[in-house]
Amino acid sequence: MTRLSSSFFYTLREAPAEAVAISHKLLLRAGFIRPLAGTAGLYAYGPLMQRVLQKVGRIVREEMDATGAQEALFCQLQPAEIWRESGRWAVYTQDGTMFMLKDGQGEQAREYGLGPTHEEAVCDFVRAGLHSYKQLPFHLYQVQTKFRNEKRPRFGLMRGREFIMKDGYSFHATPESLGETYQAMYRAYTNMFRRCGLNFRAVEADSGAIGGSGSHEFMALCDIGEDTILYCDAAGYAANVEKAVSLVSDPEAIGPGSYAVKPTPGIRTVEQQAAMLGVPISRIVKNIVYVALYAEADPRPVLVLIRGDRQVNETKLKNRLDCLDVRLATEAELAAWVGVKPGFVGPDAPIAGVIRLADHSVDGLTDFSTGCNQDDVQCVWANWGENGLVLPEVTDLDTAQAGDRCHLAPEATLQSARGVELGHIFKLGAKYSRPMQVLFADETGELQPALMGCYGVGISRLPAAVVEQSHDNDGILWPIAIAPYQLVLVPANVAVEAQRQAAEELYGTLTAAGIDTLFDDRPERAGVKFKDADLIGIPLRVTLGRDLEAGLVEIKVRGGGEAQKVPLAEALVQVKGLIERLNSAQRSR
Ligand code: ATP
Ligand code: MG
């Protein structure tokens, strides 16, 4: 219930130039958010935004509570020690994600991090009070600001350095119990995102730095999404490209020939190599030198072999190596280690301490062309087991792509879509509970680490994804469940006493009926008020104008066609009916 005349309210005609995403533009223009001193990734949530966040928070809490999860609140300022215990201090400080602080100067000062996620803090809380299997399972969650020094904060609330997350952590005695809660969370997430009016899809996901086995991401489908989803409707398969698998096509045929070393001066790409040698790209083995970076060990060179027409999936590579990050070797490193330019490394490159891995796509490949550790030449009609070429350990390092055949329904091909990650659910197992000693006595009295699940939702990202999916040329179209107000009440001209008076009365009636009403009682022209109401995206607009003389008010659904005129006395009934209709349209989507 808000009177605009006594509120801090503004809208902008133009979005600031730095805004690219439509949701970022609209939320800025409509005054929902404002960057703090122009700093990337730091946004104040204005009163309108706060109302949306609270409604999202309410839906999320309802769905969480319905599963039996309990809300708590953990510390944001976290001593480095707990992160050292889990082994993540090095990970989060070296990749720059952690905002670090000290509580003083010099040797005595203690180190802290601002919580980017809360596994450690929750484990510390739970281990003090957990004794017996009889206390398990339980699930603790919180809704709170997180801090991450993101490398590329962008698109406004989509990727902030300070943002609101709902994070939950469940504790279990058995994998079956963890599995049950995981399924319950899958359903709860499906419900909450549907209730928020999102078009989304659950996909199989990589577990990333948080770790563990088994995870799904819930993706809002929209073009600016930073994630690529691959899916096959025939098999009901959907996965983040970081994790997706596919069937790689057979290599193209090649005529008979015998091993030879051929000149390929100056080539930079497999396309050039294929053209110069007259071989199909799918009969080329690329030998790519990476450097694996570890938290607490020296970097190591890694040689990855993959078919010419395929790309290395660096997430799979990082997971296989269990390292912090991978990067391509530099030209200088290649020169020092192999003595060649990029493109001329061989599968057998003599690099000290190298880890050799081959993607599936080169397993069984015959009559291929590849580098020979010598500049400006390649060999052709090479085969594993001949001429000193040995196939190293084979693993899946391939980037699946749209058009590949689905591994579950080989007659169907994968399609791709862009997605914004709304939520992520993980089975962590004992990844944190073991190092942090979150133990319970099982039925035989033996101490065991509790099995954990963790479940996150981007509370402040979610409304940005909604706006990305739900807007028109005039502004935002909030789904009624999370709109800052259900209804905007507009006296067309407050200088006309009859209009002002009737609007005041109707405001009282609507408010008393529990309808979340924004009363635009500003002494502005009707056109200005309509524009603002459309821009900020309020689902229903009730206008009191000239027709009031005939006892009529105008009711309009945002984005829903023509306004209808109804008798003033019936306005409340009509509004209630429309709210019910909008709500049930939302529920049945
Ligand atoms: P992303 O891949 O987008 O960086 P993440 O895998 O790091 O996400 P989680 O650690 O799983 O994210 O966090 C849970 C949820 O918090 C995400 O699903 C997302 O909705 C939200 N989130 C993560 N990072 C940010 C951010 N920088 N700004 C806003 N929301 C975020
Ligand atoms: Mg992230």
Side-chain angles (χ1 to χ4, degrees), residues 70-305:
Q70 296 168 278
E71 185 168 355
L73 194 57
F74 302 98
C75 297
Q76 284 162 300
L77 188 58
Q78 302 179 1
E81 290 93 272
I82 56 170
W83 288 81
R84 293 210 170 90
E85 257 187 88
S86 72
R88 283 206 296 186
W89 183 252
V91 179
Y92 275 71
T93 55
Q94 283 179 24
D95 80 358
T97 300
M98 186 80 87
F99 280 105
M100 291 179 283
L101 303 89
K102 285 189 175 168
D103 63 2
Q105 306 280 318
E107 297 274 294
Q108 300 304 316
R110 201 169 166 193
E111 281 183 299
Y112 296 82
L114 286 179
T117 173
H118 275 66
E119 284 77 10
E120 286 79 359
V122 176
C123 281
D124 183 70
F125 177 78
V126 167
R127 66 183 165 186
L130 177 64
H131 310 291
S132 159
Y133 72 95
K134 292 180 190 151
Q135 294 168 282
L136 295 168
F138 57 84
H139 183 172
L140 304 174
Y141 77 95
Q142 62 175 345
V143 178
Q144 194 192 52
T145 297
K146 295 277 183 277
F147 299 88
R148 293 184 184 178
N149 192 7
E150 296 277 0
K151 287 189 191 76
R152 298 175 67 205
R154 58 184 188 149
F155 300 154
L157 298 187
M158 290 276 189
R159 186 170 296 287
R161 296 198 296 166
E162 176 177 322
F163 60 96
I164 304 173
M165 193 199 286
K166 184 286 293 177
D167 47 327
Y169 306 86
S170 67
F171 293 80
H172 308 268
T174 63
E176 293 71 33
S177 167
L178 170 57
E180 277 166 28
T181 298
Y182 189 86
Q183 286 307 322
M185 292 316 299
Y186 190 103
R187 289 191 295 272
Y189 275 34
T190 303
N191 293 341
M192 61 178 82
F193 299 136
R194 185 176 292 148
R195 286 176 64 186
C196 290
L198 284 152
N199 177 16
F200 66 96
R201 180 157 204 158
V203 305
E204 290 178 19
D206 174 59
S207 340
I210 290 180
S213 67
S215 107
H216 283 86
E217 286 164 343
F218 290 78
M219 295 284 189
L221 303 175
C222 54
D223 293 341
I224 63 147
E226 291 180 321
D227 286 280
T228 302
I229 299 162
L230 292 170
Y231 63 95
C232 163
D233 287 330
Y237 175 71
N240 190 313
V241 68
E242 291 180 342
K243 161 97 180 177
V245 294
S246 66
L247 296 177
V248 171
S249 61
D250 292 336
E252 277 178 63
I254 187 167
S258 49
Y259 182 86
V261 174
K262 298 261 169 138
T264 53
I267 57 136
R268 304 287 302 179
T269 65
V270 281
E271 286 77 14
Q272 291 167 337
Q273 180 178 344
M276 197 171 283
L277 296 169
V279 300
I281 293 179
S282 56
R283 295 264 174 195
I284 290 176
V285 172
K286 294 191 277 196
N287 307 296
I288 306 172
V289 184
Y290 283 93
V291 178
L293 306 169
Y294 296 89
E296 270 142 20
D298 291 337
R300 279 190 71 176
V302 183
L303 180 60
V304 177
L305 281 49

Side-chain angles (χ1 to χ4, degrees), residues 42-63:
L42 292 184
Y43 286 90
Y45 313 116
L48 289 173
M49 192 71 232
Q50 179 63 0
R51 293 181 74 92
V52 174
L53 291 171
Q54 283 183 339
K55 289 188 183 182
V56 171
R58 202 169 304 145
I59 291 172
V60 169
R61 286 179 167 96
E62 279 170 17
E63 294 297 337

